[in-house]
Amino acid sequence: MNKGTSLNNDTSENMKRSDEPIWWGLFSAGGVCFAVFVPAAILFIALLIPAGIIAPEALSFDRARSMLFSLPGLIFIGVVICLPLFHAAHRIRHGLHDLKLGKEHLNKRVTYGGAALLSALALVGFAVGIL
Amino acid sequence: MTKKLSIQRYLPEQGNAPYWQDFDVPFDDSTSILDALNYVKEELDGSLTYRWSCRMAICGSCGVMINNTPKLGCNSFLREYEGPVKIAPLAHFPVEKDLIVDMEPFLDHLAAVQPYLIDDSRLIDDNEEGTQTYKQTPAQMEKYKQFAGCINCGLCYSACPQFGLNPEFLGPAALTLAHRYNLDSRDQGKKQRMAQMSREEGVWSCTFVGFCSAVCPKNVDPAAAVNQGKVESAKDMLIGIFKG
Amino acid sequence: MAKQTSYFPELKRNWWLKHPYFKKYMAREATVLPLVFFLVCLLVGLFSLLQGAESWQGWLRFMQNPLVIAVNALAFIASLFHAWTFFQLFPRVMPLRVGGRALPPNLMVLGQWFGVVVVMILAAWIFMRGL
Amino acid sequence: MQQQDIDIVIVGGGGAGLRAAIAAAESARKENSQQRIMLLSKVYPMRSHTVSAEGGAAAVTSDEDTLQAHFDDTVAGGDWLAEQGVVDYFIRHAHRELVQMERWGCPWSRKPDGSVQVRRFGGMKTARTWFAADKTGFHMLHTLFQTSLKYPEIERLDEYFVLDIAVVDGAVAGVIALKIATGELTLLRAKSVILATGGAGRLFRFNTNAGIVTGDGMAMAFRHGVALRDMEFVQYHPTGLPGSGVLITEACRGEGGILVNKDGYRYLQDYGLGPETPLGEPQNKYMELGPRDKLSQAFWQEQQAGRTGKFGDSDVVYLDLRHLGKDYLHERLPFICELANVFINIDPVKEPIPIRPAVHYTMGGIETDANCETCIKGLYAAGECASVGLHGANRLGSNSLSELLVFGRLAGEQASQRAATVAFADSPALEEQAQAQKTRLAQLYDAQGEENWVELKRELVLSMETGCGIYREAEGMQDTLETIRNLQARYRNIRLQDKSQAYNTELMQCLELGHGLGIAEATCLGALERKESRGAHKRLEENFQQRDDVNYLKHSQVFFNAEGPAQLHWQDVDTHLSAPAERAYGDAGKGIKQ
Ligand SMILES: Cc1cc2nc3c(=O)[nH]c(=O)nc-3n(C[C@H](O)[C@H](O)[C@H](O)COP(=O)(O)OP(=O)(O)OC[C@H]3O[C@@H](n4cnc5c(N)ncnc54)[C@H](O)[C@@H]3O)c2cc1C
Ligand code: SF4
Ligand code: F3S
Ligand code: FES
């Protein structure tokens, strides 16, 4: 018989709206940043400059301070650190599910909590720097 | 020319666990996997059990795993395979006998999304002359047409690990069907369907693995539909928040 | 739902090793691991910047460590791989229409890569400006 | 044995069955009566054969078209063997039903202004065929199935194989069905039963039909004394793919495809369908848009004359679509391009498609009156399994999808009305009939004979093709009839390899073969006795090559006979609206009132 399975009873418990749109929204925004901004950031900050291939002075202490503790710096923190963090948290959470590791609600707390904590740290650091 | 077919057998009435059995099947350029199965049944082992009907890739009966990939037996051909071909029942469904799986979960999921036009028009009465059709321009139809091509073969469910991990996930075909009606200019039922789609087991169980679309024999692109559904669900939530 | 006589093997943790398509999926998901490493580097950098020139120099030295460069190189490749997969998804998630006609997906993918290049040039300009 | 009481049982989940179920549900709602409606099908409804229909569904739509024209086309197309009252009812209701389908979401192909588009079809005077690309049946079936989900009162038993109907005192009393998944039997006591089990094309070796199209319902009604009517009329579709028999829709020709022989010559002009129409300007009732029987017969003639080509071991002619261009082909005939590519590795954009005729449709079937009721009270039949009298000696393409809707609905309404007025049969006879099925199955399981269904089936389909093909003569048919009777005897000596209960598909194929043997006999008998040529039935003998209205303007009725060979009777045809005239196409058809 094809009627009356649990799926067809719209008890409110069953039809509960997922809170996923929030995380998915952050994940998507972070994904765009990861794809568009992060490659350039890694390329210059973590590869070309440290390896001395171009402009080793580009990241001198003063230059770095003035660049980071400014409005563009805040944007940088947002699009290169915070949003990608949530992107990563989302994928790690689902990856754990894929690998059948941990417990769903716990994984959720740890991953998004972690992303939130690190983002907060970055913003606090920025605030301290700018003041 | 002959080819070796390795078929996963499961005959519960004989108390056996699943096992593999090999058959040699003659073939030419036009021998499909379904032809090969029919050959086995008619010539070698009458107990081999599988579903089929139209043998032209439209009825959706004959899905099986061929070398670990879900396919329609009737439009996969032995000529395409090097070496022995492994045939098993569709993954992620309970196996009932040989290549037959329990399709009820799939049908339940389809039915759950209210996959029919919801509008306020009445049934056309017998003595009602000249009742008209809705107008729908080719451009309006274009929006959902691709998603209306699903033959309910279930291959995408066997392709989707998220369905494998969680059988409650509504799954690609059901969500595609919901999206198909949501996109139909004649439909007014989106709100009702949204409730199912917005559940944890609705669109949100999908992680865009995308294999569903890769195996779909009708190029329906269920992955696109499900993920467009996410956008809709997210919008729906936002609207809900603004409305309080 | 499954009847008594049916056989229903549970999906094992290593399911993704069974098909090349799934390996690619897992690789895509795993792009966030080196990303996280890079993000943590940035965070550490941010705090060393706050702690003065000395510790900033220490951070720069850390970033020059070949091992760190190697992991960040991986992160760079991962970000491009991510971009490649992500850009293909975009037109399918949000098909754009112009004048009633669907925008060709390839055009959208190309547009996004164009964005990446623009950001690269912008970054080069920012970092090399005045040097 | 499980037992349930169901007001209306519908056997078959194809277009006809689903439409009937919805009509019954609506009808019960209107009358405010609580009725249980049960739809049984041996496959999930959306797997039914309706899904394969490609071309379209006919109804008078455009302002230039008239009901009279559709009537005339259908009656002439059927070589005056259609029941004219029935045709009249049909043409009046077809449009409404297609509109209803649209209202249920069916994605009919559209004109730029958003209204429904129609295409040309063989044997139709003007373009009146609604279509959904070249997957019309698919879209109709899924629309109907999905719409049926809206009705909680429609219950379903999917993958239940109906073994028999139960009849008590000349009225239907229920059905006995086998749950395929477990092998258990169920008795459904019913007030009305609708048979919508589809055609019997699988009786022939080379056919366009799905594996399930085995005529089960026809056989059940037949055994209970209902006549199988006009069974000798079997439609050969002129364009099947060599090898598999997969159909290449007539819409290809409607869109402008042409047929050529191995010399590239448009041979149809030699068979009363000319003159040749210019490339890319198909004209209704000319050349490629002549009716199916004529086209298939022309193939046979070409084959005899050695002007056909070869593909694999099939003789073929060619369907050339290349002049339509890639874009048009991909828009209008995407499924055809896919099928040709996959099944014979030919791209219609670049090469002509080799094709040959294949058995496609059973014009005859369970005899019903104009209200779809059989001579057994409460037993209705609709769709391809029924002979309500619409198609006569030859069905016009795209009339049958409309038929499913018009008569599916009518049957559903009638069944519901009856169920509201009668009581369930309460009789030991019912139990007995159920028990008889149980015994029959047990015997099949235990049988220690040496016959194998595969062998028997192969002999049957081969013999049907040889004896009852496009052209027929007494000798061949006599042979076939003997073969069938011989096979019937051997069938009693059959043995199953697979003795399991659950999903015993071998058992089902045996049962289907048993059904087929009865229907084959009726088909062959009708063909043998109809000593004239009419519609799809063509005799080779000198004296029988013409239509003979004096002796054979009659339906054949074949009755089952438990004691011996089946019996044939003749029945008058309703021709009260249009007197028989010559059936002509091409220029020969000009001026003839049709
Ligand atoms: C390839 C192809 C193309 C066609 N194209 C067109 C077209 O373009 N236009 C047109 O008008 N017509 C077309 N036709 C004809 C038309 O599609 C069929 O006549 C029509 O679909 C038959 O529908 P139906 O509902 O009567 O039966 P079906 O769709 O065949 O359904 C029969 C149902 O009965 C069930 N059943 C049968 N036996 C049993 C049993 N023993 N127990 C339980 N259930 C049973 C089956 O499971 C199935 O659900 C085409 C036919 C073919 C073969
Ligand atoms: S979406 Fe494709 S794969 Fe999935 S059920 Fe439909 S046709 Fe099959
Ligand atoms: S495979 Fe599954 S995870 Fe989503 S994209 Fe397809 S439904
Ligand atoms: S048999 Fe119908 S899809 Fe393969």
Side-chain angles (χ1 to χ4, degrees), chain D residues 117-130:
Chain D
Q117 180 152 22
V118 289
R119 66 163 44 133
R120 288 186 206 87
F121 237 73
M124 301 277 188
K125 239 187 234 88
T126 42
R128 63 166 75 99
T129 297
W130 294 36

Side-chain angles (χ1 to χ4, degrees), chain D residues 355-376:
Chain D
I355 46 111
R356 56 156 290 174
V359 162
H360 183 56
Y361 188 87
T362 357
M363 262 77 74
I366 304 165
E367 181 185 330
T368 73
D369 62 16
N371 283 326
C372 301
E373 193 169 18
T374 66
C375 60
I376 297 175

Side-chain angles (χ1 to χ4, degrees), chain B residues 106 150-156 173 216-218 220 222:
Chain B
F106 176 82
C150 170
I151 61 174
N152 299 354
C153 63
L155 298 192
C156 49
C216 175
K218 294 283 138 184
V220 173

Side-chain angles (χ1 to χ4, degrees), chain B residues 53-55 57-62 74:
Chain B
S53 179
C54 70
R55 50 100 176 92
I58 189 78
C59 77
S61 307
C62 65
C74 67

Side-chain angles (χ1 to χ4, degrees), chain B residues 159-162 169 172 206-212 223 226-227:
Chain B
C160 176
Q162 299 306 344
F169 173 34
C206 163
T207 54
F208 216 143
V209 176
F211 199 35
C212 53
V226 174
N227 285 279

